[in-house]
Amino acid sequence: MSEERKQINYAVACVSEFAYRHNLPIKEAFRFLFEYKAIEFLKENYEIEHTLSFEDAIDDMLLICKKNGGTLA
């Protein structure tokens, strides 16, 4: 499997876990994470983030979104 494919699979898994944790539809979770730069963060920091637990990665993603103005009700 190519490195790019691994990164895509990891991002998909993170979006799914984020959606599950926050009780959101996957499409809505993706839009939120994309708009508030968490997808970009995962891509840029894949080497570190993929060594963490999904719980830690999701926490990091939420922090990035909050830093960029995103809030969840």
Side-chain angles (χ1 to χ4, degrees):
M1 185 180 309
S2 73
E3 193 63 26
E4 183 177 33
R5 178 45 99 187
K6 288 178 188 177
Q7 289 182 18
I8 291 168
N9 288 344
Y10 178 72
V12 168
C14 285
V15 170
S16 295
E17 291 292 322
F18 185 91
Y20 178 77
R21 182 193 284 185
H22 296 285
N23 197 29
L24 297 169
I26 291 176
K27 284 184 178 183
E28 188 177 326
F30 176 81
R31 278 193 293 267
F32 178 80
L33 294 169
F34 183 81
E35 180 176 350
Y36 295 106
K37 311 294 186 215
I39 300 295
E40 182 179 329
F41 169 81
L42 280 181
K43 184 177 177 184
E44 291 174 357
N45 296 285
Y46 171 78
E47 290 301 320
I48 295 166
E49 289 294 314
H50 87 280
T51 65
L52 304 175
S53 68
F54 277 120
E55 290 79 16
D56 288 342
I58 292 166
D59 290 344
D60 289 349
M61 292 164 59
L62 187 57
L63 287 173
I64 292 299
C65 290
K66 285 181 178 180
K67 177 181 168 189
N68 289 304
T71 58
L72 292 173

